[in-house]
Amino acid sequence: MTAVTADATPGGRSARGLVELVFRARELSLVAALAVLVLVTTAVNPNFLSGQGVKDIFLNTSILALLAVGQSLVVITRNIDLSVGSVVGLVAFCTGKFVSADPTGRGVLTALVFGVAIGAVCGLLNGLLVSFCRVPALVVTLGTLYVIQGLDHYIAHGQQINAVDLPPALLHLGNEGVLGVPYLPVITVVVMLAVGYYLRSYPSGRDFYAIGSSPEAARLAGVPVRRRVLAAYLFSGALAGLGGVLWLARFGTVVADPARGWELIVVSAVVVGGVAIVGGVGTVYGAVLGALLLTTIGSALVVLKVNSFWQQALTGALLLLAITVDRVLAVRVTRLLRKRSVRHGA
Amino acid sequence: LGLAACGGTTKDSPATSAAPAQSSAAAPAKADPNAPVKQGLKLAFLPKQINNPYETIVDDAGIEATKEFAGTAKEVGPSDASASSQISYINTLTQQGQDAILIAANDANAVCGPLKQAMAKGIKVVAYDSDAAKDCRNLFINQASSEEVGRSQVKLLADMIGHKGDIAILSATANATNQNTWIGFMKDELTKPEYKDMKLVKVAYGDDDDQKSFQQTQGLLQAYPDLKGIISPTTVGISAGARYISGSKYKGKVVLTGLGTPNQMKQFVKDGTVQKFALWNPKDLGYLAAYAAAALSSGQITGTEGETFKAGKLGEKTIGKDGEVILGPPFTFEASNIDQFDF
Amino acid sequence: MLALRKAGKSFGAVRALREVSLELFAGEAHALAGENGAGKSTLVKTLSGVHRPDEGEVLLDGAPVEFGGPAAAQEAGVAVIYQEPTLFPDLSVAENIFMGRQPRARFGRIDRRAMHAEATELFTGLGVAIDPGRPARGLSIADQQLVEIAKALSRRARVLIMDEPTAALSGNEVARLFNVVKTLREQGCAVLFISHRLDEIFELCQRVTILRDGAWVAGEPISALTPDDLVRRMVGRDLDTLYPKQDTLPGEVALTVGRLTREGVFTDVSFEVRRGEIVALAGLVGAGRSEVARAIFGVDRWDAGTVEVGGRRLPPGSPTAAMAAGLALVPEDRRQQGLVMDLSIERNIGLTGLKSVRRGPVISRAAERDRARDWAARLQLKFTRLGDAVNVLSGGNQQKVVLAKWLATDPAVLIVDEPTRGIDIGTKAEVHRLLSELAGRGIAILMISSDLPEVLGMADRVLVMHEGRLAAEIPRERATEESVMSAATGRDGAAA
Amino acid sequence: MAHDLMTTPGTGSAPKGGAAGRSPLGRFVRWDVLVTALLIAVFLAGAAGSPDFANAGNLSFALGDLGEIALIALAMTLLVVAAEVDLSVASVLGLSSAMIGALWDAGWAIETIIPLVVVVGAVCGLVNGLLVTRLGLPSLAVTIGTLALYRGLAYVVLGDKAVAEFPQRYTDLVTGDVPGTPIPYPVALFVLLAIITGVVLHATGAGRALFAIGSQEEAAFFAGIRVKRIKLVLFVVSGTMAAFAGVVYTLRYGSARADNGFGVELAVIAAVLLGGVDFDGGKGTLGGVIAGVLLIGLLRNLLMLNDVATEIQSIVTGLLLIVSVLTPRLAAVVRQRRRSPAPHTPLSSEAESNR
Ligand SMILES: Nc1ncnc2c1ncn2[C@@H]1O[C@H](COP(=O)(O)OP(=O)(O)OP(=O)(O)O)[C@@H](O)[C@H]1O
Ligand SMILES: Nc1ncnc2c1ncn2[C@@H]1O[C@H](COP(=O)(O)OP(=O)(O)OP(=O)(O)O)[C@@H](O)[C@H]1O
Ligand SMILES: [Mg+2]
Ligand SMILES: [Mg+2]
């Protein structure tokens, strides 16, 4: 290897192309899986791809995808946020309570600011505990999961927010759209693109990957580790807050804990989307695709008239299939890379 | 099955099933219909799950009612609708020596053992909303006769869709006792000749989870484009279903009915998504349960068929077969009357 | 330019540095020498802001500074190559080099094209062909070290600190590195250089500071010293010989490797090692030596060929079977492969011999501790407590723990991959004496080393690998620097 | 290094977060000691505050309620020490319960059913283990998948039915006390299994191997430890234990349902974490975990007896988790500060982001 110098660039480029392809491949394989699923389902029931059907899928995915974006940021830094589900619940309920107290005076914007602020506070708490107090993320967020859930139940205590009490503009946000495209997916896509671009193209964005890849090396490289981890949690919390408000807008009726148990769904979306649970690898696009795939599987199984009792089992099996295929693919390409790099050296 | 034949303890082995623990304790001395209501009774409501708005209405009414006869009542319960968490509470209440436990059972049999232990300690057990196994409670306060609920729901829907077309049911969890009893009667009702043109195509489960019920409705409508009506005999399910339909192209085309609270449904009745739905008065349910518990604890009744007791403003109630007390027929809500209610 | 005045640093009870002073001047390369655990790396970390001195101060251009962290030192123009590579395995090599100071395009975006071009340029300067686009995961230790070097060079710093940058490199890369460093030095850069290879110190440096047990021993121009002086000051006594090779008569064949192939990595490797023999496997970095060792030991699977130990064939891919047959492998990457960094010294030493310290099914802690204490003493391990985690040990002492761990299994065939990487000269002699003694006791030893003098000094036979194949087999008498190097670079295969 | 690409990521060449490693606090405040102290404090406070608490009846209830969690926590401790996790345990419990129901309903003998479902549990664990060890998938991801799969299968097996009326001889075995003591049978069994697990983890070669695998898998592999096989065994043990817990659960409640034990996995993990087992693997003691399980259980019982609302119980559990981890760390930081005012102590080179 040492002897070769001049031809470093061409060999390098092709290998680099290959590496890029591996990362793309994760997303491509998701898209392919999605396509197969949609085609099969549509073949059985053309209604699946009707305007209403597509709209439903996108609407259903939006909130999950939003949470997945926040979660992937945290997971990329080799941490985890299990508290997102309970934050969504808390925010949905509190915001509902807050705006329904004065539905004319408090509009969409107030609701959004209020909700995102609560979410951000929860995220800040997680972030401070993880980054500055150095408490393991799993413990912290499992703890805050319980605390926030308890708080939510305490505030809600058997009450219910009803759609009638909410400002119509808020309900519009959740169910209407521009030019037939509902607002919810638009919001999600905008957030996804912004975060995705930031993570890829800005030095501070790369810091997140560096931290997840090797926290010790990141510190030595002068990456402000704590601040970035704090930022990741803050952001995840704020997105969960946004998700909570959108939940309220979309469903109108909110009892104590919507999104209960969602922490594991969000984590599965992120994992299916190719974000490594050990940090350092993955993109928010993948995470969003993962969320889309999970939601579509759920909808497709209903449409395919699969027995209700089989649905959950099949969802699990498909999830396993998704990560398995992804893994096998990655291993294959790595092996290819090994042989290639040696041939190039020789 | 070959294995089963080799011996061992099977379902059919003699005396296998857990015999009623203290059948003697369950049938105590004589009822004294004229005994005064004891002062300072301690009642505990144990709903399926706290934070379920419906259960909260019931229990709050019961707690209010307790004050009428100078007792104290509290509501305790798990935040998830599981039998195992309910059991911890039953045990605790037993330890605390309450006079009566009022329970909406998450699983008729699972709560049985601990309830028997409570009864053995002289604690009266009143099931309400969702029954426990017969020998594990003294009384069951039934919101409405299960048979009537089941059959009337089918009638209600049939009238609205003209006795014709595919229908589906959106239930709560697959294991909910009361839901399954109702669904049983619905299926039975549908076998009658006047419903020969109606077909039940699917029973879906929304797990009493808002989002899940919402998506199940969606799925039903896509999977069965010819669907004419949905019955959702659960308050969570019907409101989620209504919300989906009100925002979709199916509004006005698919008829939704079921059991819901008026506050939840007001908006959808007014915007035309839902024409009619039914429910009993949950406040009366809690009220009756509290009085029944008091009557039991004071020795006015023992829980045998035919006994009567006074239930405050609801007047005199009679214990029916299997220790059931029925609140009354369900009430149908529609645009013309819904504004008179606030719960 | 950068200086340390009367600095002290303790870790708990360990006083890693006491009252050490040192001054770096522009245009001068300064060597730091001392045994393992003398405090060299600690000094480096103190200068670079990782540690803050407990006493004394760091001076920059004569004024006291307080670096809040590594970032602050980097701002001030101090670039550091740490002893252990600190790479991001999931990121590309180019990103590793430029993390935190990527070239920017408009709107503060990263200019990837420029980044890759600059990285390629750096590697060209160092004369290596690492693809800047590949992920750092899977780079060999040497390549990792080269990336670290590129990273430090790319900072164009005023002060360049290198903690054993050459430990994993072979002659060629070292020569290139020195060329680059000499250029920098001539441009006015101050250099601090740490190495256990004395010839390198003499080649590159003008001044040397010597530490012993955390204390300053000497600081003087290199020209005033002979290598022997240097060693004497480091070790505190005279050293007999660095390569105490005993002559032994090779016994029967202990290890036979037949046409071993792992696709894309090495091909048709056949050789045998006899009892009592030390066979060196030499070659350039990346020639596939470590891969062969790993395959023999069963850590990697092989695609074709056979491995026999004492006449018994080994199944592919089973280290457990290899160990049962009497094989031991001291791997090259001690931090990842050799040691469980979070476990204590005794547990690490005990890990390979869990069976030998058992009473029934239960482990006897006393037996485990005795065994560890025994080996620690035999290898002159420097430690505070056997219960301390190995990651507080200095690099060289960690290496000794790895050796102890494997020697304790009493192997018939010992494969050592870079056994003296990062080991100080005193201990190196010790390790060599040990290897030679083991061979004398009839153990077959396969030694992989990038240190040519070591290869020549220790081996009975030298196998040379070139690009995944055995290029030559050279007996001790004919082994010279020229013959080995020419085989290693593929210039002639005639010797085979 | 092709090897590390084929095993679990994260055990690969990424250096483990804590380079400087063990913080000095480890020598002064051990987490598990702290949790045990807290447990004793809770017990004493409970006994002093409420007459209903420290009596045999109540403690027997409280312990009985913990039975399944405690059983599963044993196997989970081993897994987490080896840096793996099994989130599917609650679903295996449900599947086992559903199978008992379905087979009992079909007229099988309980003596046949019980071993059969335990074997099925082992198979569930085997599937997890194979996916993790053969394909090198992260166990968190795999077991989230099987969490859904096994729970789904439970519904497939039993549907919406609830099967009851199990033979009293067997239900008594589970609810009854060991003659002459207030100790329920499952608790006695747990004690036995805990002793075995404790010995295996802390005093045998296998236990040492687990710690090595947990803190540095590659090095363990290089030391000749059969990493994959050990992990596979651990998953099988975990599945078996979960299925067995399902048997206990079903018989104790006398009700076989597909949704039994829903959400128990988080409770188990909370207990394991509270017990001081590091989710990065390689650290922890079984004693700590047992103290953690008991602490969560007794505290809940105590709060319930005092009519503290469920919401508050949830908050207290959460705070307990956080505080129990936070306190020793803060104490260490304070101690460090006092000794030397420098912020950059070796502590700070510990990983900022550890799971
Ligand atoms: N983080 C730490 N905690 C406790 N002790 C430490 C720590 N870092 C280093 N030490 C101790 O400080 C002493 C000096 O170690 P240092 O790494 O500086 O040695 P070195 O001169 O670089 O040795 P080598 O040549 O082996 O690299 C050693 O005794 C070591 O055990
Ligand atoms: N996991 C891997 N993926 C891709 N390439 C690899 C991997 N591991 C090693 N290589 C490459 O295989 C070649 C052989 O590496 P190996 O470590 O065996 O060399 P070596 O002769 O032992 O050199 P040294 O020990 O001096 O590093 C090198 O080019 C290395 O970069
Ligand atoms: Mg050093
Ligand atoms: Mg090598």
Side-chain angles (χ1 to χ4, degrees):
Chain A
M1 243 178 120
T2 322
V4 220
T5 322
D7 64 17
T9 327
R13 182 151 306 153
S14 72
R16 186 183 322 145
L18 207 63
V19 174
E20 298 257 301
L21 195 72
V22 181
F23 292 124
R24 289 280 145 70
R26 289 163 175 265
E27 279 126 46
L28 286 179
S29 64
L30 278 179
V31 172
L34 209 53
V36 171
L37 187 66
V38 170
L39 284 181
V40 170
T41 314
T42 314
V44 175
N45 183 340
N47 247 347
F48 189 62
L49 221 54
S50 67
Q52 180 73 40
V54 172
K55 189 174 141 189
D56 284 344
I57 289 184
F58 279 116
L59 276 171
N60 289 344
T61 310
S62 300
I63 296 175
L64 182 61
L66 214 50
L67 300 181
V69 169
Q71 185 74 255
S72 32
L73 205 61
V74 174
V75 172
I76 283 171
T77 62
R78 200 184 277 195
N79 284 294
I80 197 162
D81 186 357
L82 290 182
S83 71
V84 282
S86 56
V87 173
V88 170
L90 180 72
V91 168
F93 192 87
C94 290
T95 313
K97 198 91 193 123
F98 176 72
V99 289
S100 63
D102 179 11
T104 42
R106 295 171 184 164
V108 175
L109 206 64
T110 332
L112 284 175
V113 170
F114 183 81
V116 171
I118 294 184
V121 169
C122 295
L124 189 71
L125 185 74
N126 282 329
L128 284 176
L129 284 169
V130 173
S131 66
F132 285 89
C133 304
R134 276 178 242 117
V135 187
L138 201 80
V139 187
V140 169
T141 57
L142 191 59
T144 49
L145 162 81
Y146 284 126
V147 172
I148 295 173
Q149 201 173 58
L151 204 65
D152 179 21
H153 286 178
Y154 187 74
I155 296 172
H157 205 93
Q159 300 169 58
Q160 176 171 357
I161 308 289
N162 292 310
V164 253
D165 307 328
L166 298 176
L170 189 64
L171 295 172
H172 267 250
L173 176 72
N175 295 294
E176 311 289 313
V178 273
L179 306 171
V181 185
Y183 292 116
L184 251 58
V186 173
I187 296 177
T188 303
V189 168
V190 168
V191 170
M192 172 188 82
L193 289 177
V195 176
Y197 189 75
Y198 166 76
L199 282 183
R200 183 172 158 73
S201 299
Y202 283 86
S204 50
R206 301 312 292 170
D207 286 354
F208 290 92
Y209 287 92
I211 294 167
S213 205
S214 168
E216 180 62 16
R219 208 174 65 84
L220 291 177
V223 171
V225 177
R226 294 179 186 189
R227 252 191 295 151
R228 294 285 182 266
V229 172
L230 183 65
Y233 274 101
L234 190 64
F235 186 74
S236 166
L239 275 189
L242 180 60
V245 179
L246 296 183
W247 185 293
L248 179 70
R250 167 125 171 86
F251 295 115
T253 309
V254 174
V255 283
D257 55 352
R260 184 189 185 119
W262 263 40
E263 54 280 346
L264 291 187
I265 303 183
V266 175
V267 173
S268 12
V270 167
V271 169
V272 168
V275 178
I277 202 84
V278 288
V281 179
T283 65
V284 291
Y285 310 116
V288 168
L289 279 173
L292 187 61
L293 185 67
L294 286 190
T295 322
T296 314
I297 290 175
S299 305
L301 289 178
V302 181
V303 172
L304 289 173
K305 303 187 190 174
V306 173
N307 179 323
S308 318
F309 296 129
W310 276 100
Q311 278 177 24
Q312 197 175 6
L314 280 177
T315 310
L318 288 176
L319 206 151
L320 288 175
L321 190 72
I323 51 178
T324 305
V325 167
D326 186 50
R327 180 67 189 169
V328 170
L329 214 75
V331 170
R332 282 277 154 82
V333 177
T334 313
R335 206 169 291 158
L336 208 72
L337 204 68
R338 178 184 90 198
K339 295 189 177 164
R340 262 190 109 137
S341 83
V342 170
R343 215 171 298 135
H344 145 236
Chain B
L1 274 172
L3 280 168
C6 295
T9 322
T10 69
K11 194 168 70 162
D12 308 318
S13 309
T16 55
S17 52
Q22 270 91 16
S23 38
S24 55
K30 290 264 301 172
D32 173 11
N34 300 318
V37 173
K38 277 192 197 150
Q39 295 287 301
L41 285 176
K42 288 193 291 176
L43 310 188
F45 284 84
L46 181 49
K48 283 183 171 180
Q49 144 184 47
I50 55 164
N51 279 311
N52 178 323
Y54 168 80
E55 305 266 353
T56 308
I57 296 168
V58 176
D59 296 347
D60 283 351
I63 292 170
E64 275 305 302
T66 314
K67 289 187 190 144
E68 289 179 12
F69 48 80
T72 51
K74 63 181 180 186
E75 182 201 32
V76 294
S79 54
D80 58 328
S82 82
S84 57
S85 351
Q86 251 180 342
I87 286 169
S88 312
Y89 279 95
I90 299 173
N91 288 339
T92 311
L93 294 173
T94 309
Q95 283 298 321
Q96 289 174 336
Q98 303 287 328
D99 289 305
I101 296 175
L102 297 95
I103 181 172
N106 279 322
D107 179 325
N109 295 304
V111 292
C112 211
L115 284 181
K116 274 185 193 154
Q117 290 183 4
M119 285 160 73
K121 284 201 168 181
I123 298 172
K124 302 299 174 196
V125 177
V126 177
Y128 66 98
D129 185 36
S130 180
D131 201 1
K134 270 195 283 297
D135 51 346
C136 320
R137 45 90 174 147
N138 299 98
L139 277 183
F140 172 49
I141 311 297
N142 202 344
Q143 46 273 65
S145 130
S146 298
E147 180 162 359
E148 196 174 336
V149 172
R151 296 193 192 279
S152 69
Q153 295 267 297
V154 174
K155 281 190 203 114
L156 203 61
L157 183 67
D159 286 342
M160 288 188 277
I161 62 173
H163 287 78
K164 208 181 277 170
D166 289 354
I167 64 166
I169 294 173
L170 175 63
S171 175
T173 57
N175 297 67
T177 333
N178 50 354
Q179 301 279 332
N180 290 338
T181 323
W182 293 332
I183 293 173
F185 282 112
M186 289 182 201
K187 287 181 176 161
D188 187 63
E189 178 76 7
L190 284 168
T191 56
K192 290 187 184 164
E194 63 255 47
Y195 304 110
K196 63 178 185 327
D197 293 332
M198 280 168 64
K199 194 168 137 238
L200 177 64
V201 292
K202 170 110 175 169
V203 180
Y205 298 98
D207 291 351
D208 261 356
D209 174 287
D210 203 65
Q211 148 103 29
K212 179 121 195 264
S213 309
F214 193 91
Q215 282 190 14
Q216 288 294 327
T217 315
Q218 243 173 44
L220 280 176
L221 292 170
Q222 270 188 23
Y224 304 96
D226 298 329
L227 208 61
K228 286 286 174 293
I230 299 176
I231 301 177
S232 181
T234 155
T235 54
V236 179
I238 190 174
S239 65
R243 247 184 4 261
Y244 173 69
I245 294 177
S246 76
S248 76
K249 64 173 187 188
Y250 303 105
K251 183 170 164 184
K253 295 193 188 117
V254 177
V255 173
L256 176 70
T257 187
L259 304 173
T261 64
N263 278 357
Q264 254 177 352
M265 299 301 292
K266 249 172 221 168
Q267 194 197 11
F268 306 112
V269 170
K270 290 190 173 151
D271 75 6
T273 311
V274 174
Q275 298 165 29
K276 293 176 181 176
F277 65 95
L279 197 69
W280 43 88
N281 187 335
K283 290 189 178 164
D284 288 350
L285 180 61
Y287 188 89
L288 178 57
Y291 267 92
L296 273 174
S297 304
S298 311
Q300 292 172 353
I301 50 172
T302 59
T304 34
E305 188 171 351
E307 291 173 341
T308 59
F309 64 98
K310 289 204 187 56
K313 65 179 186 189
L314 294 177
E316 202 165 71
K317 289 281 171 183
T318 309
I319 301 173
K321 198 167 144 292
D322 291 341
E324 277 193 27
V325 181
I326 292 174
L327 178 63
F331 181 82
T332 304
F333 298 91
E334 51 197 320
S336 59
N337 63 18
I338 196 163
D339 280 331
Q340 298 158 22
F341 300 92
D342 181 22
F343 62 84
Chain C
M1 204 176 260
L2 190 65
L4 205 58
R5 190 192 293 154
K6 292 208 176 300
K9 177 79 196 168
S10 309
F11 300 110
V14 182
R15 296 193 63 190
L17 284 182
R18 37 193 143 168
E19 307 219 338
V20 174
S21 301
L22 169 136
E23 266 183 286
L24 303 181
F25 299 102
E28 189 184 79
H30 193 123
L32 190 59
E35 295 182 89
N36 292 133
K40 302 181 296 295
S41 299
T42 308
L43 187 148
V44 166
K45 289 186 177 165
T46 309
L47 278 178
S48 70
V50 176
H51 296 321
R52 259 171 66 168
D54 299 338
E55 38 198 79
E57 53 197 355
V58 179
L59 306 171
L60 186 68
D61 297 325
V65 282
E66 275 202 14
F67 293 136
Q74 281 162 21
E75 290 288 294
V78 181
V80 188
I81 299 170
Y82 294 100
Q83 185 169 10
E84 309 294 347
T86 52
L87 296 181
F88 306 110
D90 302 301
L91 300 186
S92 73
V93 167
E95 279 201 287
N96 264 290
I97 296 176
F98 292 102
M99 180 51 69
R101 35 191 192 91
Q102 296 91 337
R104 310 291 184 91
R106 258 187 308 160
F107 310 119
R109 274 181 304 132
I110 297 172
D111 186 346
R112 275 168 202 276
R113 198 177 295 268
M115 193 162 85
H116 282 249
E118 280 184 48
T120 312
E121 200 176 308
L122 281 166
F123 285 132
T124 314
L126 285 170
V128 288
I130 300 174
D131 170 13
R134 68 160 288 166
R137 190 183 293 280
L139 283 177
S140 67
I141 286 283
D143 285 349
Q144 290 181 30
Q145 195 62 263
L146 287 167
V147 174
E148 285 291 339
I149 291 169
K151 184 155 96 182
L153 295 182
S154 76
R155 290 184 188 277
R156 309 193 196 292
R158 301 161 60 210
V159 183
L160 179 61
I161 302 179
M162 300 186 285
D163 194 353
E164 302 195 30
T166 54
L169 302 185
S170 58
N172 263 349
E173 289 98 347
V174 173
R176 284 225 174 72
L177 173 66
F178 281 8
N179 279 338
V180 176
V181 173
K182 278 174 191 158
T183 318
L184 286 176
R185 195 185 64 200
E186 276 148 25
Q187 288 164 0
C189 183
V191 177
L192 181 66
F193 178 76
I194 300 175
S195 175
H196 288 294
R197 301 186 188 161
L198 301 189
D199 48 334
E200 291 178 356
I201 292 183
F202 281 92
E203 184 187 343
L204 188 71
C205 302
Q206 283 83 50
R207 188 181 288 274
V208 60
T209 294
I210 298 167
L211 296 181
R212 196 191 307 150
D213 289 334
W216 184 90
V217 177
E220 47 204 306
I222 208 102
S223 45
L225 287 173
T226 64
D228 284 340
D229 294 337
L230 189 56
V231 170
R232 201 174 309 117
R233 284 180 203 193
M234 271 165 63
V235 187
R237 63 188 153 85
D238 277 311
L239 209 61
D240 331 329
T241 163
L242 191 49
Y243 304 112
K245 178 77 179 83
Q246 307 171 357
D247 280 326
T248 49
L249 270 183
E252 75 257 38
V253 174
L255 171 71
T256 315
V257 176
R259 303 186 64 93
L260 205 63
T261 301
R262 178 169 155 85
E263 244 176 79
V265 183
F266 54 82
T267 321
D268 264 353
V269 174
S270 307
F271 62 87
E272 45 189 44
V273 183
R274 292 172 177 276
R275 298 183 46 146
E277 199 182 26
I278 299 181
V279 175
L281 197 53
L284 295 182
V285 164
R289 298 162 300 167
S290 300
E291 302 276 341
V292 170
R294 291 168 51 130
I296 293 174
F297 190 62
V299 171
D300 292 334
R301 286 184 165 269
W302 61 78
D303 297 322
T306 56
V307 175
E308 282 173 28
V309 177
R312 259 199 297 160
R313 259 197 176 196
L314 291 187
S318 169
T320 321
M323 278 173 71
L327 214 55
L329 168 69
V330 174
E332 66 179 332
D333 182 350
R334 61 173 172 254
R335 279 170 63 87
Q336 289 303 323
Q337 305 164 344
L339 294 171
V340 181
M341 301 301 284
D342 285 341
L343 287 191
S344 64
I345 299 170
E346 54 181 343
R347 293 269 162 106
N348 266 292
I349 295 179
L351 210 53
T352 48
L354 291 171
K355 288 203 186 74
S356 66
V357 288
R358 273 195 327 209
R359 297 280 144 75
V362 172
I363 284 182
S364 154
R365 291 193 188 203
E368 187 184 26
R369 175 152 295 205
D370 286 345
R371 201 172 89 132
R373 181 171 295 128
D374 177 34
W375 279 101
R378 277 158 87 171
L379 297 185
Q380 299 170 3
L381 188 71
K382 211 171 150 223
F383 64 95
T384 324
R385 256 191 307 246
L386 281 171
D388 286 342
V390 286
N391 58 15
V392 306
L393 293 183
S394 75
N397 280 307
Q398 289 176 3
Q399 185 70 25
K400 287 186 193 170
V401 176
V402 188
L403 273 169
K405 168 176 149 182
W406 283 109
L407 292 181
T409 63
D410 194 14
V413 180
L414 178 65
I415 307 176
V416 286
D417 195 351
E418 312 285 2
T420 56
R421 185 163 78 87
I423 286 196
D424 71 49
I425 193 147
T427 320
K428 206 174 198 166
E430 201 60 37
V431 169
H432 289 155
R433 194 182 47 70
L434 208 76
L435 288 179
S436 162
E437 193 185 297
L438 289 169
R441 289 220 312 263
I443 294 181
I445 296 178
L446 179 65
M447 181 181 82
I448 298 172
S449 174
S450 299
D451 188 358
L452 207 48
E454 180 173 278
V455 168
L456 300 178
M458 291 301 296
D460 292 307
R461 243 176 332 133
V462 183
L463 303 171
V464 187
M465 277 189 81
H466 173 61
E467 289 178 356
R469 288 172 188 277
L470 269 190
E473 177 174 339
I474 308 171
R476 184 177 177 84
E477 313 79 62
R478 279 200 282 131
T480 61
E481 225 163 286
E482 292 72 41
S483 63
V484 173
M485 275 322 283
S486 67
T489 48
R491 261 177 282 149
D492 75 14
Chain D
M1 282 202 180
H3 157 78
D4 75 46
L5 288 157
M6 280 183 288
T7 55
T8 324
T11 47
S13 60
K16 264 278 153 61
R22 198 153 299 180
S23 51
L25 75 100
R27 284 179 207 134
F28 306 108
V29 201
R30 275 191 25 193
W31 197 343
D32 44 354
V33 174
L34 199 89
V35 173
T36 312
L38 212 57
L39 176 67
I40 294 170
V42 165
F43 188 85
L44 293 180
S50 160
D52 301 327
F53 177 71
N55 67 50
N58 182 56
L59 290 181
S60 165
F61 278 149
L63 291 181
D65 266 356
L66 286 175
E68 296 83 22
I69 293 185
L71 284 176
I72 300 177
L74 290 182
M76 190 72 86
T77 306
L78 300 182
L79 270 174
V80 176
V81 164
E84 299 288 345
V85 68
D86 184 356
L87 292 180
S88 70
V89 282
S91 300
V92 174
L93 192 159
L95 179 58
S96 131
S97 182
M99 283 188 60
I100 295 175
L103 295 177
W104 176 249
D105 217 24
W108 286 48
I110 194 89
E111 291 83 2
T112 320
I113 298 177
I114 291 177
L116 184 74
V117 297
V118 172
V119 169
V120 170
V123 171
C124 289
L126 188 70
V127 171
N128 283 335
L130 286 177
L131 284 170
V132 170
T133 56
R134 296 299 134 189
L135 286 175
L137 290 165
S139 56
L140 195 68
V142 167
T143 55
I144 285 180
T146 50
L147 175 133
L149 177 65
Y150 297 155
R151 179 68 69 186
L153 288 179
Y155 276 106
V156 170
V157 168
L158 195 60
D160 56 3
K161 280 192 290 192
V163 175
E165 314 215 307
F166 291 100
Q168 181 150 28
R169 196 145 50 90
Y170 284 88
T171 52
D172 277 356
L173 207 55
V174 171
T175 49
D177 295 339
V178 177
T181 61
I183 303 168
Y185 275 112
V187 174
L189 178 69
F190 168 76
V191 171
L192 186 71
L193 288 176
I195 292 173
I196 296 175
T197 315
V199 169
V200 168
L201 182 63
H202 293 299
T204 65
R208 291 286 154 80
L210 287 188
F211 281 98
I213 293 174
S215 35
Q216 214 149 317
E217 187 178 322
E218 201 179 350
F221 184 56
F222 268 81
I225 293 169
R226 295 173 199 241
V227 175
K228 291 187 176 179
R229 174 144 347 152
I230 289 183
K231 282 189 177 176
L232 195 66
V233 169
L234 287 187
F235 278 104
V236 172
V237 168
S238 166
T240 311
M241 206 63 128
F244 184 69
V247 173
V248 176
Y249 192 106
T250 310
L251 292 179
R252 189 152 72 86
Y253 295 129
S255 171
R257 295 162 49 129
D259 65 347
N260 273 349
F262 185 81
V264 161
E265 68 277 356
L266 284 189
V268 171
I269 286 173
V272 170
L273 288 178
L274 185 61
V277 180
D278 190 333
F279 241 72
D280 277 340
K283 274 175 217 148
T285 61
L286 192 72
V289 172
I290 294 172
V293 172
L294 289 177
L295 181 58
I296 289 188
L298 287 187
L299 194 62
R300 265 179 57 87
N301 179 271
L302 188 60
L303 293 175
M304 238 190 256
L305 271 179
N306 288 306
D307 283 338
V308 176
T310 323
E311 302 96 327
I312 309 288
Q313 290 172 27
S314 165
I315 296 180
V316 169
T317 311
L319 286 179
L320 191 67
L321 257 181
I322 298 174
V323 170
S324 71
V325 195
L326 190 59
T327 320
R329 292 190 189 229
L330 286 185
V333 170
V334 169
R335 207 183 345 260
Q336 284 289 333
R337 287 269 155 79
R338 208 178 307 138
R339 202 180 311 136
S340 72
H344 283 282
T345 51
L347 227 185
S348 60
S349 55
E350 231 182 312
E352 263 80 2
S353 45
N354 33 13
R355 233 171 251 288

